Amino acid sequence: MSEKADSEFSTPVAQQQTSLPAADILHSANAGVVVERVGQLRAEFRSEGRQFARELSEYLNTRYVGVATTFVYEETFGTKDTLHWLLHMRSLEAYETLVRMGSQDEGWREVMFRNRIPEERGGGSWDRMFLDGGLKETVLIPQSFGMYGTADTELSSVVEDGGVDRFVVPTAEHQTSQKPDELLHSANSGIIMHRTGELKYEFRAEGREFARALTESWNASLGGEATIFLYEEAFGLSDRIHWFIHLRKLSSYYNLMGLRARTGPAAREVFTKQWIPEEKGGGWERMFVQGSLRDLALTPQHWGMYATKAGAAQG
């Protein structure tokens, strides 16, 4: 899909990276699993690396429609030449389909192992473009009531599967009552703020309750400017939670600040409520490991960013 410059420039959203119609795109609202892959490019191959990342993503998007959709992002303010892929999958079963690519999909192998670096610069494929040991992945699942010991009643989300209990995880879009035409997600937002926080084990249930209440409060007040989803790490640091704060544009951050600065009782209830039982005592600030709350802003990658080719016909 072409990315054409307007007289007043606006950063293209991630769904413009693919030729897929909107109905075929998986994103942070409708995916059952989101895998964030992060890689640090060598500065000398910053352009070739971005071209490889975009080509690989579009190959996956068009070859595995309905299985996975991948978008590429840049750190808005952070370490330059660090790329973030968000791989959106229907479920963990979909990952098994992708694993078979390595030995069965010749098209994927051609994209991966093509010589992308000119011989006069030493030649080589994608592996020369990234710092050794710099590729990291985090597997995220939409947060749902009952996950990780937070339920004290029988759940309808637990079903029997061949005589064994199975947890059915709703997609993140079920976390909000925002109207469909207001919903922002990883495909149509201008900026994603990725906020992480590590809960203390003794407050893991209260912390999740607070995180969901905060998410719902923000979504109720920020329709059209921001949509927030909460995720859990499937394989990683126990009790580290992730918010994806999807902003319509970078300046929508001011709306987020305005919401936090309100002094009315309804706006401040989430932050002032005593979430921790009286015998333990305290508000939300005691739930998190000190210094563990971190924000990272991600901008959808587009041609022309940081020394990539600027041709309007790329997509």
Side-chain angles (χ1 to χ4, degrees), residues 134-203:
L135 285 168
K136 299 178 181 178
E137 290 185 344
T138 305
V139 182
L140 303 174
I141 295 177
Q143 205 282 332
S144 176
F145 178 70
M147 294 175 71
Y148 304 111
T150 55
D152 54 10
T153 58
E154 193 69 26
L155 295 171
S156 60
S157 53
V158 177
V159 299
E160 186 177 316
D161 181 15
V164 180
D165 286 343
R166 178 184 176 94
F167 195 95
V168 179
V169 181
T171 54
E173 60 195 342
H174 292 93
Q175 295 177 8
T176 178
S177 59
Q178 284 186 0
K179 299 176 182 177
D181 60 349
E182 290 181 337
L183 203 67
L184 292 164
H185 45 68
S186 56
N188 67 3
S189 58
I191 295 286
I192 299 177
M193 276 181 56
H194 184 181
R195 175 170 294 174
T196 59
E198 183 182 350
L199 292 169
K200 294 179 180 177
Y201 189 81
E202 62 181 316
F203 303 132

Side-chain angles (χ1 to χ4, degrees), residues 267-288:
R268 299 188 64 83
E269 180 182 2
V270 174
F271 290 101
T272 58
K273 180 179 176 179
Q274 292 296 101
W275 293 96
I276 301 172
E278 187 173 344
E279 61 270 20
K280 297 180 182 179
W284 71 270
E285 65 276 2
R286 286 195 58 214
M287 301 174 181
F288 290 89

Side-chain angles (χ1 to χ4, degrees), residues 72-138:
V72 184
Y73 304 82
E74 308 265 2
E75 293 192 7
T76 313
F77 311 105
T79 304
K80 295 307 177 187
D81 298 327
T82 300
L83 296 186
H84 294 248
W85 286 268
L86 291 185
L87 172 63
H88 310 84
M89 298 185 295
R90 286 283 182 203
S91 64
L92 289 173
E93 283 88 352
Y95 184 73
E96 298 176 5
T97 301
L98 299 182
V99 168
R100 292 195 292 270
M101 290 188 304
S103 59
Q104 299 180 11
D105 189 331
E106 291 301 322
W108 178 83
R109 293 175 64 85
E110 194 280 328
V111 172
M112 289 293 293
F113 299 113
R114 185 188 311 158
N115 189 6
R116 295 176 176 274
I117 300 173
E119 292 300 327
E120 61 271 19
R121 297 171 63 194
S125 59
W126 72 271
D127 54 305
R128 280 200 63 210
M129 302 174 185
F130 291 88
L131 296 183
D132 293 336
L135 285 168
K136 299 178 181 178
E137 290 185 344
T138 305

Side-chain angles (χ1 to χ4, degrees), residues 67 202 220 237:
V67 176
E202 62 181 316
L237 188 63

